Amino acid sequence: MNPDIVVVSEYITEAPDFDGFNQPDRAQVIATTMYEDGADVIYHAAGGAGNGMFQAAKDYSEDNGTKVWGIGVDSDQYNTIGAVDESLQEYVLTSMLKRVDVAVFEILRTQQSGTWSAGNTVYDLSVDGVGYSTSGGYVDDIVDQLEDFKAQISSGAIIVPTVPGEAVEEGEPVPETTVGLVYDIGGRGDLSFNDSAAAGLERANDELGIPFSEASPNDDGSNRAELLQLAADSNDIVIGVGFLFEGDAAAVAAENPDTNFAVIDSAMLDFANGAVPYGDNVAGLTFAEEQGSFLVGAAAALKSETGTIGFIGGVCCFGLIEKFEAGYR
């Protein structure tokens, strides 16, 4: 971002003396010296000792009338430090989030589900295992730039070193991906099914830099195949939003073997021929609607005061919406 930036660093202790994580007074002294020597932003990776850095930022700013910043670590320290001393919040520029909570949850989930596997698991940017906080709004003006770098790191276009002083490297060029998405009848703006698909499309554009085109079928859906083919003419992947795309997607996919196709709410399996995939370039995206419906059913049962609750299904009976009712019941 700025090759002229000078980074000064100091460690509180050296291994095997790990008390450096518990010396806020020492961190405060080091930070004060750095601020006095011209640093205006300091990032700590020092556990509880880092609290002293934030105090130094506050004291220096108040004494000199010049705003300096601290950057937190692990937790969103705007909130955690602020819960102890609100006066320190305005000096927390951001925090590097190390999602230990995610790692703990995921390992417990695998144990409970019987999917435990030995070996190392890395929680990186691509799975939100690390990140940065926006609490306080102090980085709102540069979020677009940060998100661009996040996408490049996640994709491998940027390789970040693990040894201080080594340069950031360019990774392999990221394959260009374009997507064409065809909504269900009604299109974007239905406040429900189609809008959920649109949210995923926009997230892929924001975080992965994937450009997209979108289309909606006519009122009777008779041009679904046409829209799928138009999308296939200029995109690497085509997504049909809804099970009604199944037959058309299978046919168009067969005519466009170099384009991948996915259909929401269809397994995209040819059951007439032994439940085999329609093709190597076809994917089905289905959901466990009954599980989510169980939870809202539980909410309904717990909140009901009359002892009677209702369910409205859009269309019966083809095996999909009944899953919603089954879980709810």
Side-chain angles (χ1 to χ4, degrees):
M1 291 302 298
N2 182 350
D4 296 324
I5 282 284
V6 174
V7 180
V8 293
S9 64
E10 184 172 342
Y11 288 75
I12 299 174
T13 61
E14 293 186 11
D17 179 3
F18 293 100
D19 194 45
F21 293 120
N22 302 297
Q23 296 186 24
D25 292 344
R26 180 62 184 148
Q28 184 172 352
V29 170
I30 294 172
T32 298
T33 300
M34 288 183 175
Y35 290 132
E36 290 175 345
D37 288 344
D40 59 352
V41 182
I42 300 175
Y43 170 38
H44 89 87
N51 299 346
M53 179 204 66
F54 291 114
Q55 187 63 53
K58 175 187 176 183
D59 293 345
Y60 182 87
S61 297
E62 293 179 347
D63 293 344
N64 294 274
T66 301
K67 182 65 172 286
V68 295
W69 296 100
I71 295 178
V73 75
D74 297 338
S75 300
D76 183 347
Q77 293 206 290
Y78 179 89
N79 293 321
T80 58
I81 293 292
V84 177
D85 187 347
E86 289 185 359
S87 70
L88 297 179
Q89 285 184 309
E90 63 178 288
Y91 304 99
V92 184
L93 179 63
T94 181
S95 296
M96 195 289 284
L97 304 178
K98 182 177 176 179
R99 298 301 303 274
V100 180
D101 58 318
V102 172
V104 170
F105 176 85
E106 287 298 323
I107 197 65
L108 293 177
R109 183 185 61 79
T110 62
Q111 174 68 26
Q112 185 182 60
S113 64
T115 57
W116 167 283
S117 61
N120 183 44
T121 300
V122 178
Y123 293 90
D124 60 11
L125 275 177
S126 67
V127 295
D128 288 326
V130 290
Y132 66 95
S133 66
T134 58
S135 298
Y138 302 127
V139 297
D140 286 356
D141 59 325
I142 57 172
V143 162
D144 288 346
Q145 292 166 281
L146 298 178
E147 287 298 306
D148 179 57
F149 278 108
K150 177 180 177 180
Q152 292 187 62
I153 295 169
S154 296
S155 68
I158 290 178
I159 299 174
V160 185
T162 59
V163 177
E166 290 187 354
V168 171
E169 298 179 8
E170 286 190 31
E172 294 296 323
V174 180
E176 184 175 337
T177 298
T178 59
V179 57
L181 185 140
V182 185
Y183 294 108
D184 200 359
I185 292 174
R188 184 192 279 257
D190 68 350
L191 307 181
S192 184
F193 188 58
N194 287 317
D195 279 0
S196 182
L201 194 65
E202 291 173 355
R203 180 182 176 188
N205 180 256
D206 292 341
E207 297 184 16
L208 304 177
I210 297 177
F212 64 85
S213 62
E214 51 191 335
S216 299
N218 51 26
D219 289 343
D220 63 3
S222 59
N223 64 338
R224 285 192 178 91
E226 177 185 350
L227 294 178
L228 290 173
Q229 182 58 62
L230 287 172
D233 289 340
S234 56
N235 292 287
D236 304 300
I237 180 170
V238 177
I239 301 174
V241 183
F243 65 92
L244 291 173
F245 282 91
E246 179 176 306
D248 291 327
V252 176
E255 296 295 322
N256 297 269
D258 294 328
T259 301
N260 288 330
F261 291 78
V263 175
I264 306 293
D265 280 346
S266 170
M268 291 306 291
L269 299 177
D270 184 356
F271 291 98
N273 293 299
V276 297
Y278 278 111
D280 293 337
N281 62 332
V282 176
L285 309 176
T286 61
F287 304 85
E289 293 93 350
E290 70 281 2
Q291 295 179 3
S293 297
F294 179 101
L295 297 178
V296 297
L302 291 167
K303 297 293 287 187
S304 174
E305 296 182 359
T306 66
T308 300
I309 60 177
F311 171 83
I312 299 176
V315 177
C316 187
C317 296
F318 57 95
L320 175 59
I321 304 303
E322 293 90 328
K323 292 169 64 180
F324 291 80
E325 182 181 359
Y328 184 72
R329 285 182 176 275

